[in-house]
């Protein structure tokens, strides 16, 4: 048993000036190109993912490959900056494939694949990891049949696959890159609870692709990439939670009933305060995870699980409170709140639910369950 | 000016890390630790500006960066210097010190800050009264001016440490004819003065941690007034802000505090483990770690000279977590959770939280959401001052205190 006495160092949990500048740039772009009415309208079109916006984010702000070294076509920054971008994308529920592409980036970096990284960094190619969106880091992979590098089988509910050009498929102990134009690959977008981040079902029928890596490294690399995904997802959840609080507070200040602003009623004020307290904690947790990811700290598995275990219920509660505090308008299609409720709900399931992350923490920290011994 | 109010540029003007280290070493040459008298050593340490380096010279500091305190502590610990124990004088360090530095005269600082820091003179806080708790501005203790003195009559309750304090922070009403927030004045009260009577009050732990204090014609020299006459509310607000902070400061290592005790109980009692309890324990671990990181982040922001609004949030969460964690700990313990060390009436000895008995921790934690501003009041503070939500309509703001229903 490890660890009860150990206390890993706590890095810088603040936002640096560079990070704040990046945030401002991303927010300005999103304000122009992804106001909530635009985001809502897009969900009912044939192209729910905004590829043009994604290209701008990638090409002009370097958001698609922040932690990738400059000689590989990236921005030479770190996952800390990527997390700040995730916060802003969450705040806007922007329909761009940032999360899926970030997981793919982490995976490609881990297996040392350069060609795909370049296309990804420029925003020209969208790359997604073909595992079910709901699976937690390190969870067993969907078994796929591999026969002479031809892959067959179903992977349901893949994150950011609907718009993907390339799928990264772990199968038969190897990792393959499959072009979606391959005749053996079929990607079927699902009607998704979270309209701003649709999932898609992947069906492979003797599909062929390039083998990128083989052996035990594959499973480890996939888990590590999912862990990066968990860290960024937490940042995105922080962005959603903050936006929900902001929307709720603005409404409570503005809306009058019984001859006074709603926010002057203590029952409502205290609920908003509770949310603010929770979000204060969530910020520290999300920053810690981002810093661990950026520095490759040995505490990263704990930090990532902690981040998911804390941020999932936080974002969900923020979105649910935001809806309730808006009353009837909060329940209408033509208003912003349901976009956040749906995003927070999917976030709580994507990359593992909070209880799975708590169970993972139990193992990592040496806090055994009833049947186990330590 | 403290590190809290000075920006990073100003802090940089003070001595840097190597200079601070030099000062410590120089100091140790003049004050060897072997066989040192603790009190004499601490006094000299204060005079050398090594008490808290971020404070100004003369007040126990060097005007240095707040982060550099660690340099001092590490060096002194390494040579086994006599220990400074802030827990001996929590109200002194947490409330009296900051209040005096912010509102006191130079003379008052000179008189009180050093013995406060060394622990020679403990402090208590005479704020709450039977009729005024959350609504502190409704207090009724009267101070009437007679020449260079004030004569005080009133009754204070829940005064922690009054039995061992040398000095007290006192708020009293000096003008009942104006609305309640405007008629208050802030004093330092000598707890040894004639007319001060301290009666222990017993609390749910069995101990007499707090007291009733009767002030019967106590004479306070006007030189012991802090701030202007009628400004007591503003000064008290300053004290309370520090109180909320002082209950929480210091980034503890992971697994320190109540959560460490809970995990230890979990390990010691495999027979008590169920799936339901397991998830609750892990969930509390998540919340406790989040609270720890929040404090760490807040301190980092303070060090950059940007105090965030997290103080009240940290206190709220700290209270809730202490209560939940200590409750689950009793459930994990089972039989041992049914036992209590000693209910006999006695004055409590300060013990580190985790060294106290689980049953005591559980009971004592119930006060965490009452002392230093209740959790309800703090939620209102967060709602109004952090989120900017409008206040509730009030009936007591513009009416003279003497005309209020009480
Ligand atoms: C262990 C302990 C140590 C203490 N030490 C000291 C000390 O050293 N010095 C000192 O001066 N005081 C001390 N106190 C007193 C403490 O500050 C007060 O108890 C506290 O401020 C609450 O006041 P009250 O007890 O009069 O409760 P009340 O103000 O009567 O409150 C009763 C309940 O009503 C709620 N409430 C009150 N007003 C509102 C409102 N406007 N909106 C919503 N809810 C409201 C409160 O939150 C509480 O739940 C101590 C208390 C404890 C428990």
């Amino acid at each position: 048993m490890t660890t009860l006495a150990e206390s890993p160092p706590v890095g810088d949990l603040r936002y640096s000036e560079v990070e704040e500048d990046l945030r401002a740039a991303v927010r300005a772009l999103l304000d122009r190109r992804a106001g909530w009415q635009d985001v809502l309208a897009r969900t009912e079109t044939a192209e729910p993912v905004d590829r043009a916006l994604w290209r701008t984010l990638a090409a002009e702000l370097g958001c698609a490959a922040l932690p990738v070294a400059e000689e590989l076509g990236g921005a030479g920054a770190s996952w800390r900056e990527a997390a700040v971008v995730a916060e802003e994308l969450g705040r806007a529920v922007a329909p761009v494939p940032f999360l899926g592409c970030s997981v793919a980036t982490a995976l490609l970096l881990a297996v040392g694949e350069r060609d795909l990284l370049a296309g990804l960094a420029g925003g020209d190619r969208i790359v997604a990891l073909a595992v079910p969106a709901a699976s937690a880091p390190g969870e067993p992979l969907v078994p796929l049949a591999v026969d002479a590098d031809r892959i067959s089988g179903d992977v349901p509910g893949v994150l950011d696959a609907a718009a993907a050009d390339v799928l990264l498929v772990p199968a038969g102990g190897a990792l393959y890159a499959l072009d979606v134009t391959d005749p053996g690959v079929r990607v079927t977008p699902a009607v998704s609870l979270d309209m701003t981040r649709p999932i898609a079902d992947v069906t492979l029928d003797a599909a062929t692709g390039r083998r990128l890596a083989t052996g035990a490294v594959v499973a480890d690399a996939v888990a590590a990439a999912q862990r990066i995904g968990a860290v960024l997802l937490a940042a995105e959840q922080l962005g959603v939670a903050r936006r929900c609080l902001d929307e709720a507070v603005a409404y409570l200040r503005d809306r009058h009933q019984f001859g006074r602003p709603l926010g002057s009623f203590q029952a409502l004020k205290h609920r908003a305060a509770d949310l603010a307290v929770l979000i204060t904690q969530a910020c520290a947790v999300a920053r810690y995870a981002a810093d661990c990811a950026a520095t490759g700290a040995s505490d990263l598995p704990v930090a990532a699980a902690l981040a998911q275990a804390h941020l999932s219920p936080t974002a969900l509660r923020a979105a649910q409170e935001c809806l309730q505090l808006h009353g009837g308008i909060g329940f209408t299609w033509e208003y912003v709140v349901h976009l956040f409720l749906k995003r927070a709900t999917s976030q709580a399931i994507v990359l593992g639910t909070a209880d799975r992350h708590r169970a993972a923490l139990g193992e990592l920290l040496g806090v055994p369950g009833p049947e186990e011994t330590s | 000016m403290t590190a809290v109010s000075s920006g990073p540029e100003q802090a940089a003007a003070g001595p840097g890390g190597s200079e601070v280290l030099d000062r410590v070493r120089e100091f140790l040459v003049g004050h060897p630790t072997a066989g040192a008298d603790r009190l004499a050593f601490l006094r000299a340490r204060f005079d050398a500006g090594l008490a808290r380096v971020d404070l100004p010279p003369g007040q126990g500091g060097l005007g240095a960066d707040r982060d550099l305190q660690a340099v001092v502590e590490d060096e002194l610990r390494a040579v086994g210097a006599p220990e400074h124990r802030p827990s001996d004088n929590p109200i002194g360090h947490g409330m009296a010190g900051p209040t005096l530095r912010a509102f006191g005269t130079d003379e008052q600082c000179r008189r009180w800050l050093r013995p406060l820091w060394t622990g020679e003179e403990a402090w208590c806080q005479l704020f709450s009264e039977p009729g005024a708790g959350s609504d502190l501005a409704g207090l009724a203790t009267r101070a009437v001016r007679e020449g260079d003195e004030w004569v005080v009559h009133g009754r204070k309750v829940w005064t922690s440490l009054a039995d061992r304090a040398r000095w007290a922070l006192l708020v009293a009403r000096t003008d009942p004819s104006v609305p309640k927030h405007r008629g208050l004045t802030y004093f330092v009260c000598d707890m040894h003065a004639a007319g001060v009577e301290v009666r222990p009050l017993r609390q749910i732990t069995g101990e007499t941690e707090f007291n009733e204090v009767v002030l019967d014609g106590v004479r306070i020299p006007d030189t012991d007034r802090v701030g202007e006459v009628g400004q007591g509310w503003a000064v008290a607000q300053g004290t309370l802000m520090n109180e909320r902070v002082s209950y929480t400061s210091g980034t503890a290592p992971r697994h320190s505090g109540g959560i460490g005790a809970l995990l230890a109980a979990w390990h010691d009692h495999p027979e008590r483990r169920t799936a339901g309890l397991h998830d609750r324990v892990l969930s509390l671990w998540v919340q406790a770690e989040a609270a720890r990181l929040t404090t760490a982040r807040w301190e980092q922001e303070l060090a950059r000279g940007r105090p965030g609004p997290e103080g009240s949030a940290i206190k709220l969460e700290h209270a809730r977590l202490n209560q939940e964690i200590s409750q689950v700990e009793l459930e994990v313990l089972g039989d041992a959770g049914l036992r209590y060390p000693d209910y006999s009436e006695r004055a409590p000895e300060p013990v580190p939280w985790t060294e106290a008995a689980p049953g005591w921790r559980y009971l004592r934690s119930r006060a965490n959401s009452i002392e230093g501003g209740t959790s309800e009041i703090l939620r209102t503070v967060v709602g109004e001052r952090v989120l900017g939500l409008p206040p509730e309509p009030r009936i007591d703001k513009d009416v003279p205190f003497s005309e209020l229903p009480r």
Side-chain angles (χ1 to χ4, degrees):
Chain A
M1 225 258 341
T2 43
T3 56
L4 289 192
E6 290 166 24
S7 189
V10 175
D12 195 338
L13 306 180
R14 299 167 292 192
Y15 298 103
S16 69
E17 256 165 58
V18 172
E19 287 164 348
E20 290 294 12
D21 290 348
L22 177 63
R23 179 198 302 290
V26 173
R27 187 176 293 191
L29 175 67
L30 294 175
D31 282 348
R32 261 184 289 124
R33 301 266 300 270
W36 69 263
Q37 286 94 341
D38 305 330
V39 172
L40 177 62
R42 180 176 286 280
T43 64
E44 294 190 284
T45 66
E47 208 186 322
V49 175
D50 191 344
R51 291 191 80 121
L53 175 61
W54 177 238
R55 234 171 277 119
T56 308
L57 277 163
E60 282 175 25
L61 297 175
C63 292
L66 284 163
V68 177
E70 284 176 38
E71 61 269 26
L72 297 180
S78 80
W79 293 116
R80 276 183 72 105
E81 290 81 7
V84 171
V85 173
E87 287 180 22
E88 289 307 307
L89 295 174
R91 183 177 178 85
V93 281
V96 292
F98 176 82
L99 187 59
C101 282
S102 296
V103 172
T105 298
L107 183 51
L108 294 171
L109 283 171
V111 300
E113 160 62 37
R114 295 171 161 233
D115 293 350
L116 280 172
L117 268 182
L120 225 170
D124 307 320
R125 302 184 101 187
I126 294 175
V127 186
L129 170 63
V131 300
S135 47
E139 214 172 288
L141 298 166
V142 177
L144 298 171
V146 183
D147 183 11
D149 283 346
R150 292 181 160 268
I151 312 161
S152 301
D154 295 329
V155 189
V158 177
L159 189 71
D160 286 334
D165 304 297
V166 177
L167 296 173
L168 301 179
V169 182
L175 180 69
Y176 297 87
L178 269 57
D179 212 292
V180 293
T181 54
D182 184 273
V185 176
R186 199 163 39 141
V187 177
T188 316
V191 178
S192 304
L193 180 87
D194 178 3
M195 301 129 48
T196 60
R197 182 148 66 203
I199 52 170
D201 299 321
V202 173
T203 307
L204 304 176
D205 184 9
T208 55
R210 195 152 62 87
R211 198 195 303 190
L212 303 180
T214 316
V217 289
V218 172
D220 290 348
V222 168
Q226 288 175 307
R227 210 165 272 134
I228 295 295
V231 170
L232 296 178
L233 178 60
E236 197 194 274
Q237 288 168 312
L238 178 62
V240 167
R242 282 201 186 124
R243 173 76 182 270
C244 288
L245 178 62
D246 290 353
E247 295 286 338
V249 165
Y251 193 74
L252 290 178
R253 276 204 220 130
D254 208 40
R255 166 93 171 155
H256 284 61
Q257 290 285 282
F258 302 96
R260 30 195 282 222
L262 285 181
S264 69
F265 287 96
Q266 192 181 75
L268 306 184
K269 181 181 293 167
H270 283 190
R271 279 163 68 172
D274 282 340
L275 210 49
V277 170
L278 194 57
I279 290 172
T280 304
Q281 320 276 325
C283 172
V285 168
R287 283 271 86 192
Y288 179 66
D291 189 68
C292 285
T295 59
S298 62
D299 201 42
L300 176 57
V302 171
L306 168 69
Q308 277 306 297
H310 195 277
L311 270 295
S312 283
T314 299
L316 202 51
R317 177 158 156 210
Q320 289 169 348
E321 286 286 73
C322 183
L323 195 156
Q324 176 66 20
L325 293 174
H326 275 82
I329 188 98
F331 192 68
T332 50
W333 183 270
E334 281 82 17
Y335 200 62
V336 61
V337 180
H338 67 120
L339 298 178
F340 295 112
L341 178 74
K342 291 166 183 176
R343 175 59 69 86
T345 308
S346 80
Q347 287 172 326
I349 298 171
V350 165
L351 286 162
T353 52
D355 74 296
R356 274 180 185 272
H357 289 284
R358 285 195 293 272
L361 284 169
E363 283 175 29
L364 290 163
L365 299 164
V367 181
E371 311 301 335
E372 310 151 39
T373 51
S374 64
Chain B
M1 184 172 276
T2 68
V4 174
S5 53
S6 66
E9 319 78 39
Q10 284 154 294
S18 58
E19 245 174 290
V20 168
L21 188 58
D22 287 346
R23 300 273 190 119
V24 182
R25 297 201 167 137
E26 217 171 281
F27 172 75
L28 284 170
V29 173
H31 301 86
T33 56
D37 173 61
R38 179 165 178 274
L39 201 51
F41 185 90
L42 289 178
R43 284 177 185 157
R45 182 178 157 190
F46 183 95
D47 292 340
L50 300 174
R52 244 188 63 192
V53 293
D54 58 307
L55 296 178
Q59 298 192 356
L62 299 168
D65 206 276
R66 192 174 185 266
D67 289 349
L68 297 177
Q69 187 61 31
V71 174
V72 178
E73 302 297 339
D74 290 350
E75 190 65 14
L76 291 179
R77 198 175 314 114
V79 300
E83 204 192 349
H84 176 244
R85 290 191 296 260
S87 57
D88 286 355
N89 188 12
I91 294 175
H93 289 286
M95 291 171 241
T99 304
L100 291 171
R101 285 193 295 268
F103 299 97
T105 62
D106 289 347
E107 178 49 36
Q108 288 172 336
C109 288
R110 239 189 321 278
R111 165 66 189 83
W112 283 314
L113 288 180
R114 190 175 85 171
L116 180 161
W117 187 80
T118 59
E120 285 162 81
E121 294 180 349
W123 287 68
C124 68
Q125 177 197 16
L126 292 171
F127 279 22
S128 304
E129 299 181 4
S134 299
D135 183 15
L136 179 63
L139 59 84
T141 292
R142 277 285 272 138
V144 177
R145 187 149 192 171
E146 276 185 20
D148 288 343
E149 290 182 326
W150 296 83
V151 182
V152 183
H153 286 274
R155 194 152 72 93
K156 297 286 180 175
V157 283
W158 323 136
T159 315
S160 308
L161 307 172
D163 50 332
R164 50 187 91 164
R166 180 67 178 77
W167 302 99
L169 304 170
L170 168 71
V171 193
R173 186 158 308 279
T174 43
D175 187 354
S177 72
V178 294
K180 61 187 191 177
H181 293 86
R182 284 188 243 150
L184 302 173
T185 303
Y186 201 104
F187 300 94
V188 170
C189 175
D190 181 350
M191 291 297 284
H192 293 178
V196 176
E197 191 194 337
V198 178
R199 301 172 184 154
L201 290 173
R202 204 169 171 198
Q203 59 189 36
I204 67 170
T205 57
E207 299 156 316
T208 51
E209 177 184 336
F210 48 34
N211 304 269
E212 176 181 14
V213 178
V214 178
L215 304 168
D216 185 13
V218 178
R219 292 186 165 269
I220 298 180
D222 189 53
T223 48
D224 290 357
R225 169 169 51 78
V226 181
E228 299 303 315
V229 174
Q231 275 205 329
W233 180 249
V235 182
Q237 286 301 301
T239 304
L240 290 174
M241 280 322 290
N242 282 302
E243 173 167 47
R244 277 154 208 165
V245 175
S246 71
Y247 274 102
T248 50
S249 69
T251 305
R254 180 179 280 178
H255 298 138
S256 57
I259 194 67
L262 175 59
L263 292 187
W266 183 259
H267 278 280
D268 293 346
H269 291 274
E271 82 289 353
R272 301 279 309 160
R273 293 177 196 162
T274 62
L277 262 185
H278 190 224
D279 194 50
R280 278 168 81 195
V281 168
L282 290 169
S283 171
L284 286 170
W285 185 87
V286 167
Q287 296 169 53
E289 183 65 1
R292 187 180 77 91
L293 293 170
T294 304
T295 307
R297 183 174 138 78
W298 183 65
E299 297 201 328
Q300 291 177 357
E301 291 283 10
L302 275 183
R304 190 157 71 177
R306 288 197 208 161
E310 286 92 344
S312 299
I314 288 173
K315 200 238 171 200
L316 269 168
E317 189 67 357
H318 171 83
R320 187 182 69 80
L321 274 175
N322 265 353
Q323 294 173 350
E324 287 188 25
I325 288 171
S326 59
Q327 180 201 321
V328 172
E329 187 184 349
L330 290 193
E331 294 179 32
V332 169
L333 290 171
D335 173 74
L338 292 170
R339 296 163 202 268
Y340 190 78
D342 181 7
Y343 272 129
S344 63
E345 180 171 344
R346 70 210 183 283
E349 284 307 317
V351 197
W353 187 252
T354 47
E355 283 165 37
W360 183 88
R361 277 204 298 271
Y362 169 69
L363 294 178
R364 183 61 182 77
S365 72
R366 302 319 300 179
N368 293 161
S369 53
I370 301 170
E371 58 196 337
T374 70
S375 290
E376 287 76 17
I377 295 299
L378 285 183
R379 283 189 186 95
T380 299
V381 168
V382 171
E384 293 178 6
R385 295 201 205 142
V386 180
L387 299 178
L389 290 170
E392 278 188 288
R394 288 180 65 159
I395 53 168
D396 62 341
K397 270 213 135 145
D398 304 312
V399 186
F401 176 76
S402 51
E403 289 169 25
L404 282 177
R406 275 185 289 139

